[in-house]
Amino acid sequence: MSHGEEQLSWEPAPGQGAEVLYAVDGPLGRARLNRPRAINALDRASIDSLHQQLTAWAHDDRIAAVVLDGAGERGLCAGGDVRALREAVLAGQQEEAVDYWRAEYAVNALVASYPKPYVAWMDGIVMGGGVGVSAHGSLRLATERTRLAMPEVVIGFFPDVGGLHPLAQAPGETGTHVALTGEPVGGADALVLGMADALVPSHAQDSVLEVLRERPGATAAQVAEAVGQPEETSWLAENRAWIDRCYAGNDAAAIVQRLREDPDPAAQEAARTVSARSPFSVAVTLEALRRAASMTLEEVLAQDLRLGATFAGHPDFAEGVRAQLVDKDRTPRWTHGSVAEVPREEVLAAFDG
């Protein structure tokens, strides 16, 4: 907890629960995701609360900038509440899952188009839906503790929340690696991907807030200059040679083959990782990523909603969440044996949802 925070009055949004708490800190509107036991996973109540309060603050002259962080020590946000979505799907209420995504993507779009500085404190775990409420902001601060991921292919889903927009613009094929493996990367990697603006020390949150209270529109360079930058190298940058070589093109099976045959042990490890993911997810994710390269964020979010409807009805989603988060046996039985077995027609049909 930051110095001086004991004087702040943290309250839910009017008529909402305590899933997200808010405080006015001088010229700053502070928003704190408040489900620490679930690493602040975004349930529907969290999303509705954020939409209401961010909209209110956009029109509130007292608030010069918004700062988002997460309660607890583990991170900003572990993602969406996919266990609840799986239960809805299994109960035949796919529309409930699609409604959740529609509401979530509206918040992502609001963050991206916010009329005031929107500062995200991306310390610790920042995954899935957590990326959606942070990486579209105007000042994204990663730390040496940041573990950023779009791990959806692990659960038979795809990187949504507009995440394919920055990943498609990332240098070389770095975004393709992150999308198809679902593996976490560090704070320096988040900068390389274009999903963060500065790397700052995790212990410097108080100092960052001091800078922002004095200068709510501070740039990444100004913040970094005031608080210093941790020494951290980017794994993605160091591995660009085989990443760019192996992940090129639109054929997921060919990508896996190149990874397998590459002399770099890290490429071979990536081949094993991608092969363990849902083959349907991997094939659709690659197609969605390539399409996202020529889309605006709004268009990517619209594509996400179409794909969400497809995945809600696909057996791999319920099975992936079961294996990873419900039974936790980590042995999903996917619909297809490998990406090579996913028909091209099936991939293309996913976009007609």
Side-chain angles (χ1 to χ4, degrees), residues 173-195:
E173 298 294 342
T174 52
T176 314
H177 170 80
V178 169
L180 297 192
T181 62
E183 290 286 271
V185 296
D189 295 315
L191 263 70
V192 166
L193 291 167
M195 295 173 108

Side-chain angles (χ1 to χ4, degrees), residues 46-193:
S46 307
I47 288 164
D48 291 344
S49 170
L50 279 169
H51 198 278
Q52 177 180 316
Q53 192 62 50
L54 291 175
T55 302
W57 276 347
H59 305 288
D60 186 335
D61 293 340
R62 296 172 308 153
I63 303 299
V66 168
V67 182
L68 177 78
D69 65 14
E73 295 300 309
R74 298 175 68 191
L76 174 67
C77 175
D81 192 354
V82 290
R83 290 175 66 160
L85 297 177
R86 174 181 182 267
E87 284 163 24
V89 166
L90 291 177
Q93 295 158 339
Q94 287 182 23
E95 198 47 50
E96 193 179 308
V98 175
D99 279 346
Y100 167 93
W101 290 317
R102 188 179 288 112
E104 183 180 24
Y105 303 163
V107 171
N108 304 148
L110 178 58
V111 168
S113 63
Y114 210 65
K116 300 174 180 184
Y118 180 102
V119 184
W121 180 251
M122 297 171 71
D123 185 43
I125 289 173
V126 184
M127 298 186 179
V131 172
V133 293
S134 59
H136 302 309
S138 55
L139 179 59
R140 294 96 37 100
L141 302 175
T143 77
E144 79 286 352
R145 294 180 66 239
T146 297
R147 304 302 291 151
L148 179 139
M150 294 300 293
E152 288 78 7
V153 289
V154 177
I155 56 163
F157 198 57
F158 71 101
D160 64 336
V161 297
L164 292 176
H165 186 258
L167 290 179
Q169 312 294 334
E173 298 294 342
T174 52
T176 314
H177 170 80
V178 169
L180 297 192
T181 62
E183 290 286 271
V185 296
D189 295 315
L191 263 70
V192 166
L193 291 167

Side-chain angles (χ1 to χ4, degrees), residues 247-281:
Y247 284 104
N250 303 325
D251 183 339
I255 287 172
V256 171
Q257 192 63 27
R258 282 197 296 271
L259 288 168
R260 266 201 198 108
E261 293 169 357
D262 198 273
D264 196 305
Q268 295 162 29
E269 180 63 28
R272 287 189 288 274
T273 300
V274 176
S275 298
R277 306 315 190 208
S278 156
F280 179 72
S281 292

